Amino acid sequence: MRPIEYARPETVGEAVELLSEHDGATAVLAGGTDLIYLMQKDVLDPPPRRLVDLKNIPELQDIRQQDDRLVIGACCTLEQIADSPLTAPLRALHDVIDGIRSIQVQQMGTIGGDLCHLPNCWYFRNGYGLLALNEGRSLVESGENRYHAIFGNQGPAKFVSASRFAPALIACGASVRIVGPQPDQQETVPLEYFYVAPKTNRQGVTILKPGQFLSHVIVPLARPLQTATYEVLQIEGLDWPLAAAAAALHVEGGVVRDARIVMGHVAPVPWIADAAARFLVGRSIDEDSAQRAGEMAVAGATPLSQNAYKVQLARTAVKRAVLKAAGLLEGGV
Amino acid sequence: MAERVVAWKPRDKNTVFGKEIDRIDGIEKASGYAKYTADINTPGTLYCKLLTCPHAHAKVVHLDVSRAERTPGVRAVEVLKPVGSEIQWDGTIVAVVAADRPEYAEDGVRAIKVQYEVLEHFVDEEDLQTAKKLQRTKDLGENTKGDVEAALKQAKVVHRGYYGIHTISHCCLETHGAHCQWQGDDQLDVHLSTQNVSGTAGQFAGPLGLDAANVSITCHYIGGGFGSKFAADEWGLACARLAKKTGRPVKLMLDRATELKIAGTRPSAFAQITIAADASGRVIAWDSHHWGTSGIAGGTVRLSQIPYIFDFENRRRRATGLVTNCGPNRAWRAPNHPQLCALTDTALDDLAAKLGMDSYDVFMKNLDRVSNDKQDVYREEMRIAAELIGWKDKWHPHGKGGRGPIKRGLGMALHTWGGRAHAATCLVRVHPDGTVESLAGSQDLGTGTRTVIAVVLAETFGLDVKDVRVRIGENKYPRSGPSGGSTTVGGVSGPNRRAGLEALWKIFDLVAKEYGVDANSLEARDKKIWSNGKVVCSWKDACRLIGPMPLEVQGTGPKKDGLTSDGVGGVQMADVSVDSETGVIRINKLVCVQDCGAIVDLKTAKSQVYGGMIMGIAYALTEERIMDNATGRFINADLENYKLPRIGDIGELVAEMYQPDSEYRRGVVGLGEPPVISTGAAISNAVANALGVRVSVLPMTPQRVLAALQATS
């Protein structure tokens, strides 16, 4: 039997030490909703020799308000986040949890696990690596790319970022705390800089290095924001969005003073639509301005051979996220 | 009571038969008490893992399993594709490792050294032109009736369209597999996930050099088959061989990916269709060329059944098979029918739109061209379905589905099936204490076989359903038929009724003698024996007269005594909403009006219809085998990306059983296949009605919906 060590640290420091050994052939176990599957499919490179279970570290399971910031432990489950009154102002997060629809994943899945989720790219999950290369050539380009990237796909990575929360959290200005690789080492990084489009199969999808893990998500609460996420989901069950967008609007007197729009599942990283957001500043939200924001958001899209339809989906997701954030999305869609 | 004639009771005399009866094994299934093949773990059972080929077309040039055999915990390795074998589809099993634990078996698989020479593959089932260029096509025939060209010239409206429906997998929740255990050298006990309990012993015996009489097959419960589980299969034989080699019981269940890839698919069909009508909406010409694939065999759906149901006066048809490196097909619930319906009834609907007519009227107008005898049944079923879905109030011309982004539409389609009883026997045993047993080598594919048998015997003997013990799922019981083609309910109900009546008449004779009454005056109901409205004795008292040994009667079928027959129609209507900005389709309501002769259990009959409609929603909207041209692989062979609808995708389902007395008089007809056939076409037509654009290929994913909208904008 392929030996595997299971470690249950009770402090962040212990966890860092346990993760740092075995030359990086370790993996963080949070909810386990995806890691176990990836191990069974034997597609992790290197295959982990030790799992470090973070669920017994109290500070990672806590949601608390510190001054004007919300600090969410990485091991908080989606259900815990949905049930916490502290998250009530962050509608965009609730939209994501509602969209996940699977009670099992809501109860087991964690926010940290979501943010570090590996792609659902079928080439990756069939053992062709993150970049899906075959003799140096991209399988995605000549193959089945209906669910792949329409932005940021000119480099070797053509999968889409899997995180459901990242667009909403980036739109809200969130940061993440990274601990390790030394037990007392930590840094805080804006979430938008957390993701990378890898150039090699072993680079991973985040800036995390061996021995590091994401311990907390920090969301600023100083300004009242109107937020929403809109995911285009084909079915009413657990499914990956075909495209998604999150919008965070700071509105005063019916006019947008500041805005952030981030698209998900359209690029190897969460894709920030700055031009669309800037366009909204100084305007009021209505069907027309939301539609134009959607159009601006997808202006630079570079679809692959099969996925031009995702441009339309991303455009619609942005429009509807903006309308929803403004409380203007009518029922039924 | 009356003379002794084999028949069902007059309809108004039934107390159980035709009522809504809960499944007698429902609690076992829902509680986990029911043991499926996948649940069998006798002491010492070894577990298997598979080495499968990741290439669509390859030759095995090197294979060394010696390291696997030496891996700790591994007990044996069985090679299915030795060096030199040519592999024709992704997922082909090359070798099987049996070990003390699944994890050891995985180690063993990893230790196998295998090399392939990768060969050119072709997996595109829709691309006829490329297939022709690569000489990957098979001419499957062409024939003509009447004068198509002349009719096209006379036509008021001619419609030309492209239609298609992709390959899907059977996707059984319980994967294919077996648990094998030898008793000595010449007796093999197999737990097999099978639709064919009585028919598989020989499939093990022959290749293994055993007497068929020494193979026992058991399948008490099966987690889905849909037409894909009739055989022992190479993996079943591998399981038996590994058990023999190791002297241990061995369990081999396919993993999910392999299940999807190699254990059965429904062939695809794509078609160029020309259909023409006169001014009144009557179709006067049909011209079609369809193609598709069943894998390396190069088949598609049957030429002789297109146009589906309708037999138009002037008709030309042609079929081409694509020879692809894709997993092979197996019978899938109503073989050929769902695809042919999805090609035909969509073209007819587009013709109606082009005529500017209500689709309902055009279907109605052409009913005199149906090729079965169901013309009047369809007419009546359409009328009922239209009322149930509110067709008259809600129907609008195609493309007038609303002003906002959400468009709503209605669609319909017709279907047909046989459903004759299969050849089967049973043994009915009445014990002196009044308990009743029925034994048959049948199986419950999910249709409620146990419940159907219990209902038939309870009605015959005047008992409650729970008073009947039904024993099925073992080949030591009297031979029954395989569960395929909607043949089981007729297959088991006829023999049980016949045997039950014969046993009952013997008991009546005993009662007549004992109590001095006329045997022909007797009837059994409410657990009592009655003569001319008066109680003669209790059922238990009557059974005591049997003597010390049970009374046994063999039942056989089918017979031409009217207990069973075949042939059904059926109509489905769909009410859908389509988000024209995202291409996402939601089912608001789906109505099926279904005839099926005399219904044994109204509840399980309706369940069949619900299940069929749900499966239809799946292949209409989400379910698709995606073959990747780059790698030649079935790239979505997991339940994450092989998308199945969830409960929230189903909408409101209405199963209306069409059961006038004329249906009751036909006897029992099977119902498994019919309700899955026309769902795809009905939903496609509803989407076309909503959008004013045909989404020509199923499943209608957002990608295809948006492409169709863009093509017309």
Side-chain angles (χ1 to χ4, degrees):
Chain A
M1 208 178 325
R2 184 181 272 178
I4 185 102
E5 293 172 5
Y6 170 78
R8 271 177 67 163
E10 289 177 1
T11 67
V12 167
E14 277 172 30
V16 168
E17 280 185 53
L18 288 161
L19 271 176
S20 302
E21 295 168 8
H22 290 313
D23 295 327
T26 57
V28 166
L29 174 66
T33 59
D34 194 43
L35 179 66
I36 307 302
Y37 176 83
L38 292 168
M39 289 169 63
Q40 285 171 343
K41 293 274 278 184
D42 203 13
V43 295
L44 293 176
D45 181 24
R49 290 162 58 195
R50 175 187 288 167
L51 298 185
V52 180
D53 186 347
L54 302 184
K55 287 194 297 293
N56 296 286
I57 304 173
E59 66 170 288
L60 301 186
Q61 317 218 41
D62 193 32
I63 303 175
R64 63 186 186 279
Q65 190 163 348
Q66 283 183 342
D67 305 325
D68 54 0
R69 300 176 312 165
L70 190 65
V71 181
I72 304 172
C75 282
C76 289
T77 64
L78 311 191
E79 187 180 55
Q80 206 184 334
I81 293 166
D83 290 347
S84 167
L86 293 174
T87 65
L90 301 166
R91 296 315 306 166
L93 299 191
H94 291 263
D95 291 341
V96 171
I97 297 167
D98 290 346
I100 288 172
R101 291 178 181 150
S102 154
I103 293 165
Q104 293 91 331
V105 174
Q106 288 174 350
Q107 292 188 338
M108 289 301 293
T110 65
I111 192 165
D114 172 85
L115 291 171
C116 298
H117 205 291
L118 285 163
N120 176 43
C121 166
W122 38 38
Y123 293 105
F124 167 60
R125 289 184 183 249
N126 275 289
Y128 295 94
L130 270 180
L131 303 181
L133 298 174
N134 187 27
E135 293 169 0
R137 293 214 337 264
S138 167
L139 291 169
V140 180
E141 247 171 297
S142 60
E144 277 298 331
N145 53 42
R146 66 184 72 183
Y147 299 140
H148 284 78
I150 54 169
F151 288 99
N153 53 9
Q154 306 299 298
K158 300 184 194 302
F159 59 80
V160 295
S161 167
S163 173
R164 306 277 287 258
F165 281 106
L169 287 169
I170 294 172
C172 294
S175 301
V176 287
R177 185 174 301 152
I178 295 170
V179 295
Q182 299 304 316
D184 54 353
Q185 210 174 344
Q186 66 170 57
E187 58 182 318
T188 302
V189 177
L191 183 58
E192 59 192 279
Y193 301 126
F194 181 65
Y195 292 98
V196 292
K199 299 272 195 297
T200 69
N201 275 329
R202 294 184 75 159
Q203 203 178 343
V205 297
T206 70
I207 58 172
L208 289 177
K209 292 191 268 299
Q212 288 188 317
F213 69 90
L214 187 161
S215 68
H216 293 86
V217 180
I218 301 145
V219 193
L221 297 172
R223 280 190 312 174
L225 291 175
Q226 293 175 241
T227 69
T229 303
Y230 189 91
E231 297 180 325
V232 179
L233 290 160
Q234 188 185 350
I235 60 173
E236 295 274 339
L238 182 64
D239 195 11
W240 293 98
L242 297 168
L249 308 174
H250 178 57
V251 182
E252 279 177 358
V255 176
V256 176
R257 298 296 173 195
D258 193 10
R260 284 208 101 183
I261 297 171
V262 185
M263 290 182 280
H265 306 272
V266 296
V269 297
W271 201 252
I272 297 169
D274 264 340
R278 275 198 307 274
F279 166 78
L280 291 177
V281 175
R283 294 172 201 271
S284 57
I285 301 298
D286 55 23
E287 181 78 22
D288 181 58
S289 60
Q291 173 73 27
R292 287 175 67 188
E295 279 158 17
M296 294 177 83
V298 298
T302 52
L304 301 166
S305 61
Q306 298 180 342
N307 66 7
Y309 77 103
K310 286 188 61 168
V311 177
Q312 161 65 12
L313 296 183
R315 181 190 294 124
T316 304
V318 168
K319 178 178 90 169
R320 292 184 182 179
V322 168
L323 288 172
K324 197 174 178 184
L328 296 173
L329 188 67
E330 285 169 16
V333 289
Chain B
M1 201 179 103
E3 55 187 310
R4 292 181 172 180
V5 175
V6 172
W8 299 112
K9 284 183 182 172
R11 195 175 190 182
D12 56 0
K13 299 280 188 203
N14 287 319
T15 57
V16 188
F17 191 87
K19 311 295 181 203
E20 296 225 13
I21 307 295
D22 291 344
R23 285 168 196 263
I24 61 172
D25 47 8
I27 296 295
E28 281 86 342
K29 287 178 175 176
S31 64
Y33 181 82
K35 289 281 176 267
Y36 294 74
T37 302
D39 295 323
I40 306 299
N41 289 308
T42 54
T45 293
L46 301 178
Y47 301 88
C48 293
K49 290 286 173 181
L50 313 171
L51 174 71
T52 58
C53 178
H55 305 291
H57 191 196
K59 198 171 256 184
V60 181
V61 293
H62 176 76
L63 181 64
D64 179 359
V65 300
S66 58
R67 272 179 57 217
E69 285 167 336
R70 292 197 302 271
T71 300
V74 170
R75 300 290 169 177
V77 180
E78 178 76 10
V79 172
L80 272 63
K81 292 282 178 273
V83 169
S85 304
E86 187 173 346
I87 281 163
Q88 294 282 13
W89 55 82
D90 168 33
T92 300
I93 302 173
V94 176
V96 185
V97 177
D100 292 341
R101 295 183 49 80
E103 294 83 1
Y104 294 140
E106 272 168 17
D107 292 345
V109 169
R110 277 193 291 267
I112 295 174
K113 286 184 185 162
V114 61
Q115 280 172 11
Y116 304 100
E117 179 192 348
V118 179
L119 305 170
E120 290 288 316
H121 65 253
F122 177 68
V123 296
D124 192 328
E125 60 185 12
E126 193 173 355
D127 186 354
L128 180 62
Q129 296 316 316
T130 304
K132 278 183 185 163
K133 254 183 251 165
L134 297 172
Q135 298 184 315
R136 289 282 201 147
T137 57
K138 264 189 185 175
D139 183 1
L140 299 177
E142 178 174 1
N143 58 58
T144 306
K145 185 179 90 165
D147 188 338
V148 173
E149 303 305 331
L152 287 174
K153 276 184 199 141
Q154 288 165 14
K156 170 80 171 19
V157 166
V158 177
H159 166 73
R160 290 189 173 82
Y162 172 67
Y163 303 89
I165 175 165
H166 271 279
T167 296
I168 60 172
S169 182
H170 290 68
C171 204
C172 305
L173 193 57
E174 181 193 36
T175 61
H176 286 62
H179 176 282
C180 292
Q181 186 158 9
W182 291 79
Q183 313 289 346
D185 277 345
D186 63 350
Q187 166 70 39
L188 175 64
D189 296 343
V190 184
H191 280 86
L192 185 67
S193 186
T194 184
Q195 302 174 226
N196 191 8
V197 165
S198 287
T200 31
Q203 298 179 35
F204 281 93
L208 297 170
L210 271 174
D211 294 341
N214 287 357
V215 179
S216 84
I217 304 288
T218 303
C219 179
H220 290 144
Y221 296 92
I222 175 173
F226 315 111
S228 67
K229 288 182 178 169
F230 292 113
D233 282 318
E234 58 175 2
W235 50 83
L237 291 169
C239 180
R241 289 194 173 106
L242 286 163
K244 178 109 193 207
K245 260 190 215 176
T246 56
R248 298 264 293 268
V250 174
K251 183 161 73 173
L252 192 169
M253 302 302 293
L254 297 187
D255 56 76
R256 178 58 55 191
T258 309
E259 170 74 15
L260 284 162
K261 288 176 182 184
I262 72 169
T265 60
R266 185 180 79 177
S268 54
F270 304 89
Q272 288 290 351
I273 293 169
T274 302
I275 182 170
D278 64 17
S280 75
R282 284 179 57 84
V283 175
I284 57 170
W286 171 276
D287 187 2
S288 65
H289 176 202
H290 74 264
W291 63 91
T293 195
S294 61
I296 204 70
T300 176
V301 293
R302 201 175 290 151
L303 179 68
S304 62
Q305 279 178 284
I306 194 165
Y308 183 64
I309 295 186
F310 295 100
D311 180 21
F312 302 125
E313 223 169 317
N314 304 291
R315 176 258 296 149
R316 182 164 53 215
R317 56 195 180 193
R318 185 182 161 203
T320 304
L322 269 59
V323 180
T324 56
N325 298 104
C326 301
N329 78 300
R330 293 183 176 199
W332 189 96
R333 199 171 186 175
N336 296 298
H337 287 235
Q339 301 99 307
L340 290 162
C341 184
L343 301 181
T344 305
D345 285 17
T346 46
L348 187 59
D349 185 78
D350 282 344
L351 180 72
K354 205 160 179 182
L355 281 158
M357 291 176 70
D358 185 331
S359 314
Y360 180 90
D361 295 336
V362 172
F363 274 93
M364 196 60 102
K365 184 130 307 206
N366 286 285
L367 284 183
D368 60 342
R369 300 300 314 183
V370 295
S371 51
N372 57 24
D373 60 358
K374 299 292 169 195
Q375 190 184 135
D376 295 333
V377 172
Y378 285 130
R379 190 167 286 120
E380 195 54 22
E381 288 177 338
M382 278 178 64
R383 193 188 58 71
I384 297 167
E387 258 173 45
L388 288 168
I389 207 152
W391 188 282
K392 272 192 187 134
D393 295 336
K394 290 184 191 154
W395 191 85
H396 52 72
H398 281 31
K400 307 286 182 196
R403 299 175 69 176
I406 307 297
K407 314 288 186 189
R408 197 159 174 168
L410 291 184
M412 65 158 288
L414 301 174
H415 59 260
T416 188
W417 188 254
R420 65 173 172 76
H422 58 213
T425 58
C426 68
L427 186 72
V428 171
R429 190 180 282 156
V430 182
H431 290 268
D433 68 351
T435 52
V436 172
E437 265 185 295
S438 173
L439 296 82
S442 185
Q443 51 279 318
D444 179 12
L445 187 55
T447 52
T449 308
R450 280 187 185 82
T451 310
V452 162
I453 293 171
V455 165
V456 166
L457 291 179
E459 188 64 59
T460 302
F461 295 127
L463 302 173
D464 288 342
V465 167
K466 63 178 171 44
D467 297 328
V468 181
R469 310 280 181 279
V470 181
R471 313 207 189 282
I472 58 170
E474 297 183 35
N475 71 332
K476 69 184 178 200
Y477 299 143
R479 191 210 71 170
S480 198
S483 286
S486 307
T487 58
T488 307
V489 169
V492 299
S493 58
N496 275 285
R497 175 68 175 171
R498 289 181 198 102
L501 283 174
E502 199 182 321
L504 183 67
W505 292 333
K506 284 184 180 169
I507 292 166
F508 281 172
D509 287 343
L510 295 169
V511 170
K513 200 172 161 196
E514 177 75 13
Y515 294 92
V517 289
D518 176 7
N520 283 337
S521 74
L522 298 179
E523 59 177 319
R525 63 182 156 87
D526 300 334
K527 303 189 186 186
K528 296 179 187 75
I529 307 297
W530 301 68
S531 172
N532 298 320
K534 286 183 189 153
V535 175
V536 178
C537 64
S538 71
W539 170 253
K540 278 183 184 257
D541 288 339
C543 291
R544 267 187 217 111
L545 303 174
I546 295 170
M549 303 294 275
L551 170 62
E552 286 191 349
V553 180
Q554 181 96 2
T556 59
K559 291 187 175 176
K560 288 184 178 162
D561 54 13
L563 289 187
T564 61
S565 66
D566 70 347
V568 302
V571 58
Q572 291 196 26
M573 292 189 181
D575 173 349
V576 306
S577 290
V578 188
D579 186 333
S580 60
E581 292 182 338
T582 64
V584 173
I585 298 167
R586 297 277 177 247
I587 306 291
N588 302 315
K589 186 171 179 177
L590 199 54
V591 170
C592 178
V593 182
Q594 184 64 56
D595 54 292
C596 66
I599 290 170
V600 181
D601 177 355
L602 186 56
K603 192 167 198 171
T604 52
K606 282 185 177 174
S607 294
Q608 281 279 40
V609 177
Y610 294 136
M613 288 196 280
I614 290 168
M615 225 168 166
I617 291 169
Y619 74 74
L621 298 184
T622 63
E623 203 182 350
E624 177 180 5
R625 176 183 74 181
I626 301 174
M627 295 303 300
D628 172 38
N629 284 328
T631 58
R633 301 186 71 179
F634 182 163
I635 200 74
N636 63 329
D638 57 65
L639 291 184
E640 206 158 2
N641 290 306
Y642 186 89
K643 295 190 186 188
L644 295 166
R646 306 303 204 276
I647 197 76
D649 297 299
I650 303 307
E652 180 191 354
L653 301 182
V654 178
E656 178 71 16
M657 306 312 294
Y658 177 70
Q659 40 183 337
D661 286 342
S662 55
E663 282 298 318
Y664 186 78
R665 286 194 296 270
R666 294 171 60 212
V668 174
V669 183
L671 179 61
E673 337 283 299
V676 82
I677 296 169
S678 59
T679 321
I683 294 173
S684 177
N685 290 343
V687 170
N689 183 243
L691 297 175
V693 173
R694 174 65 56 182
V695 181
S696 50
V697 174
L698 304 185
M700 294 177 286
T701 58
Q703 181 184 18
R704 294 199 178 97
V705 173
L706 292 178
L709 282 168
Q710 199 177 3
T712 54
S713 66

